[in-house]
Amino acid sequence: AQSVTQPDIHITVSEGASLELRCNYSYGATPYLFWYVQSPGQGLQLLLKYFSGDTLVQGIKGFEAEFKRSQSAFNLRKPSVHWSDAAEYFCAVGNFGNEKLTFGTGTRLTIIP
Amino acid sequence: EPEVTQTPSHQVTQMGQEVILRCVPISNHLYFYWYRQILGQKVEFLVSFYNNEISEKSEIFDDQFSVERPDGSNFTLKIRSTKLEDSAMYFCASSVDRNYEQYFGPGTRLTVT
């Protein structure tokens, strides 16, 4: 069964600093990978996705993620965070042949001035 | 930009009552989904729906749950006899086709008392 691990429950970063949120997945074949962001009281907004091809994918709001098959990793990065990036971030995995997404437990990001 | 909408935003019901949660998926999307997020826990897949029938469901989606597309725009989740443990945020999502990115609505917070 597919699974997703987000090892960091809570991360605090200073505004303007760089950010990396970790995500590891467990799945036998090539997964489809996603990052979603959830602001307080809001739904899940898709930040970026990986299906195939170039392992470095660009998303909205200046985010990027790199698929590293050898490490089963799909870490989310941003070179310089803004206060508005404070939210909960979820990594999710899907696979060819079924529709469900499996989510990680999320990482809560706090931005300090 | 088209988006998934959900009503109501918050529903309070008594244990044993039936509730219907409503969703309007993005108009050209063919696959529809329900997920739930119990407070403090991860987002969990409930069911996917395509061509007017359930395509895939999780073990959570037991006989108490049903889904329907009553007309050309709405997609509903019915819980027949609510339990306290059904209290959660319920998200609707849709995708243009299988194995494409899923777009989520803002959620309905269901509180069972």
Side-chain angles (χ1 to χ4, degrees):
Chain A
Q2 60 199 37
S3 66
V4 178
T5 301
Q6 292 182 250
D8 304 304
I9 296 172
H10 185 200
I11 284 183
T12 300
V13 176
S14 297
E15 190 168 15
S18 63
L19 171 71
E20 182 168 25
L21 302 181
R22 296 183 290 167
C23 171
N24 293 96
Y25 66 90
S26 172
Y27 179 64
T30 300
Y32 301 152
L33 294 157
F34 307 86
W35 275 99
Y36 286 86
V37 61
Q38 184 181 32
S39 298
Q42 303 295 310
L44 297 162
Q45 182 182 23
L46 179 66
L47 281 177
L48 49 76
K49 59 186 186 284
Y50 171 80
F51 284 88
S52 64
D54 194 346
T55 56
L56 183 64
V57 294
Q58 303 295 322
I60 62 170
K61 304 185 181 188
F63 286 93
E64 66 177 28
E66 187 171 10
F67 171 58
K68 294 185 176 180
R69 184 192 300 275
S70 62
Q71 299 173 18
S72 297
F74 189 59
N75 295 346
L76 182 71
R77 300 194 296 246
K78 186 169 185 178
S80 176
V81 297
H82 185 261
W83 64 266
S84 60
D85 293 325
E88 186 103 20
Y89 290 79
F90 293 93
C91 182
V93 63
N95 67 84
F96 183 79
N98 66 49
E99 293 94 38
K100 78 169 191 179
L101 293 182
T102 299
F103 283 81
T105 49
T107 297
R108 184 159 59 93
L109 176 65
T110 298
I111 308 293
I112 56 175
Chain B
E1 185 176 321
E3 56 184 24
V4 177
T5 59
Q6 291 184 243
T7 54
S9 56
H10 191 192
Q11 173 95 44
V12 181
T13 189
Q14 289 190 325
M15 196 166 53
Q17 296 297 303
E18 174 184 286
V19 294
I20 297 176
L21 309 183
R22 291 182 168 81
C23 167
V24 179
I26 295 173
S27 62
N28 66 331
H29 285 188
L30 300 178
Y31 280 81
F32 315 119
Y33 314 85
W34 284 101
Y35 290 79
R36 78 172 185 191
Q37 184 182 31
I38 295 171
L39 188 63
Q41 298 186 25
K42 64 171 72 176
V43 177
E44 302 173 288
F45 171 79
L46 291 177
V47 67
S48 60
F49 190 86
Y50 170 72
N51 201 25
N52 281 319
E53 59 184 32
I54 290 174
S55 179
E56 188 178 348
K57 62 181 182 178
S58 72
E59 61 276 6
I60 303 169
F61 194 88
D62 61 20
D63 292 343
Q64 292 282 79
F65 292 90
S66 62
V67 289
E68 190 180 27
R69 189 153 163 84
D71 53 45
S73 58
N74 289 282
F75 178 51
T76 62
L77 174 70
K78 182 193 292 186
I79 308 175
R80 288 193 183 78
S81 177
T82 50
K83 309 184 188 81
L84 293 176
E85 54 265 36
D86 294 326
S87 294
M89 180 74 90
Y90 287 81
F91 292 106
C92 174
S94 68
S95 63
V96 67
D97 203 342
R98 197 186 214 191
N99 300 135
Y100 279 69
E101 59 268 29
Q102 296 176 20
Y103 292 90
F104 284 75
T108 293
R109 179 163 297 287
L110 177 65
T111 302
V112 183
T113 62

